[in-house]
Amino acid sequence: MITGLDHVVVLTGDIAAASAAYETLFARAPAWRNSGDGADRVLFTLDNTTLELMAPRGDDDAAQRVRTALATQGEGLASLCFRTSDIARTHRRLDRLTLKPEPVAEVESRDETSGATLSWKRTRAATDATRGVRMFFLEREQERPLSVRTTPASITAMDHVVVSTADPERAAALYGARLGLDMALDRSHPEWGRLMFFRCGDLVVEVTHRPAKGNDKAATDAPDRLRGICWRVVDADATHARLVAAGVDVSEIRTGRKPGTRVMTVRNGTCGVPTLLVQPSQGKPD
């Protein structure tokens, strides 16, 4: 049903500042700019997925919904959008699995710079059925243009996106059995809890669980949350030097949890999205 993670959406109150910050982080130019349906959007398309920045525009109902989301959760990750090759079939499956999808809609976007247009078909699952994480599903035939690299040592691709859950069994059922993602790892550790990897095309949806203290049922019933993103780099040293020179607050490089990896934490310039950069082992993605 799902062929990959098409894009993630990051909400921001200042689209210009957010776009500039991510252009610095990625060392890649925006690939698409669009305004409409109550929002300004800037898209960065990397080698395996897209990050969409969204800010409210105007005073219509759509813009007010974006403002409400910003007021409720602040800047940061807002939704996941999975790609499918057959939206009608996906919609039927979502409906059978009681994920309560909206009717399929046809959407078109026009790039403000080039005048090019892209169109796709999209549905959305009910957020209460996806444990609090907003999820969209889309089918498109056209590929988005890639973000052009502006300097060396750019970000190449997404490695994984992190979802935090209070109920790992229900999360495993959602991402594995219901959405059909391949569970590649399920591991527990006394210090950092339970960790599950679900393969989604050329990246991973990582689901994490830290046990609540005591037997707190309310904590178990808490909604899942989008927590952060890890991006891949080819050369951690070169990327670290580039970001430091650009004034980005980035940690020192350290050894990653997976053998052979090197990682660093980006502490600002991400619109509130907890962000990690990883150089995969032998320069290759897992």
Side-chain angles (χ1 to χ4, degrees), residues 231-275:
W231 303 100
R232 295 179 194 148
V233 302
V234 173
D235 185 332
D237 295 302
T239 302
H240 186 275
R242 173 180 66 79
L243 291 173
V244 169
V248 177
D249 184 3
V250 59
S251 73
E252 293 301 316
I253 300 169
R254 60 190 184 275
T255 300
R257 187 175 294 167
K258 180 183 175 183
T261 61
R262 306 173 72 215
V263 301
M264 68 190 94
T265 302
V266 182
R267 302 191 184 103
N268 68 345
T270 63
C271 298
V273 179
T275 298

Side-chain angles (χ1 to χ4, degrees), residues 30 33 64 191 223 235 242:
R33 298 179 186 271
Q64 292 305 325
E191 291 185 6
D235 185 332
R242 173 180 66 79

